[in-house]
Amino acid sequence: MEPKMKQGDALLIVDVQRDFCSGGALPVPGGDDVVPVLNRWIKAALDAGVIIYASRDWHPQAHLSFRERGGPWPPHCIQDTVGAQFHHNLRLPPSAIVVSKGVRFDKDQNSAFDDTGLAVELRRRGVRRIWVGGLAQDVCVRATALDAVRAEFEVHLVAGATKPVRPEDGERALAEMRRAGVIITESRIIE
Ligand SMILES: [Zn+2]
């Protein structure tokens, strides 16, 4: 039987920001395609009274993850820039809670759980099960889902709500997540 969102769940949307979508500074191929899928999950979460979190990459200028500092990425998601905004078609409700990461000067934070206090926040609200989608599958979604499992949440990755930077890395990330205990779920929502 297919799962259905219920009390004790959270929907965690990872980094669906303009810089990671078409026309952005670090576009994930097909990144925009996750938006309509996530909008259906947002609606279902609201209908079920399930709390919604949206993480965002929120870098200071000249962050150490940028190439100019020897990091792997072009400058992206710089605080208060258009590129750091959530995708303009993502229907995040006012009740959604924003988790900012990548804000530190001394390290990057791919995972929404890395030094953000998110696990404590979720436990405080009685969350046991997390539905995860967003960008990118092989980078921040991977790191977030693996950390969520380590923090002993039941983690479901919504497969159609995430896209990888590179397809082969996406396949590898999916296998790694599955081995770690992440449940890979189709994109359908059971109302
Ligand atoms: Zn970043």
Side-chain angles (χ1 to χ4, degrees):
M1 197 171 123
E2 300 261 4
K4 177 181 174 176
M5 279 197 280
K6 60 179 190 210
Q7 291 295 319
D9 286 2
L11 176 62
L12 175 52
I13 299 171
V14 177
D15 298 11
V16 181
Q17 292 166 271
R18 296 178 75 157
D19 269 347
F20 294 132
C21 295
S22 60
L26 182 46
V28 176
D32 302 80
D33 297 345
V34 305
V35 173
V37 181
L38 285 167
N39 282 340
R40 292 198 291 277
W41 280 80
I42 288 169
K43 182 179 181 304
L46 289 170
D47 290 348
V50 164
I51 192 162
I52 300 168
Y53 290 82
S55 74
R56 63 180 179 184
D57 225 9
W58 195 244
H59 294 310
Q61 292 178 37
H63 188 246
L64 54 65
S65 72
F66 299 168
R67 281 183 192 137
E68 66 202 71
R69 297 275 313 277
W73 309 115
H76 63 279
C77 297
I78 295 170
Q79 294 168 9
D80 298 312
T81 61
V82 171
Q85 291 171 2
F86 290 115
H87 194 292
H88 53 282
N89 291 336
L90 187 67
R91 295 200 202 102
L92 279 178
S95 59
I97 298 170
V98 174
V99 182
S100 297
K101 64 185 185 59
V103 298
R104 293 182 58 132
F105 296 109
D106 58 344
K107 67 169 187 175
D108 200 6
Q109 294 153 284
N110 285 343
S111 163
F113 287 89
D114 185 1
D115 273 348
T116 61
L118 180 57
V120 172
E121 157 74 5
L122 292 171
R123 280 190 207 105
R124 182 178 75 80
R125 291 183 180 263
V127 170
R128 291 176 304 280
R129 187 167 73 161
I130 309 172
W131 302 88
V132 181
L135 301 170
Q137 186 182 71
D138 48 336
V139 187
C140 292
V141 168
R142 169 190 168 277
T144 297
L146 291 176
D147 270 356
V149 167
R150 277 183 210 113
E152 300 188 339
F153 294 101
E154 181 183 323
V155 184
H156 293 254
L157 179 76
V158 182
T162 176
K163 294 279 182 188
V165 178
R166 281 177 294 268
E168 62 273 24
D169 290 341
E171 287 304 315
R172 201 173 300 126
L174 280 177
E176 185 182 8
M177 287 188 269
R178 201 179 278 118
R179 275 198 307 277
V182 175
I183 299 153
I184 314 293
T185 294
E186 290 307 314
S187 305
R188 286 192 308 280
I189 300 168
I190 308 308
E191 310 281 358

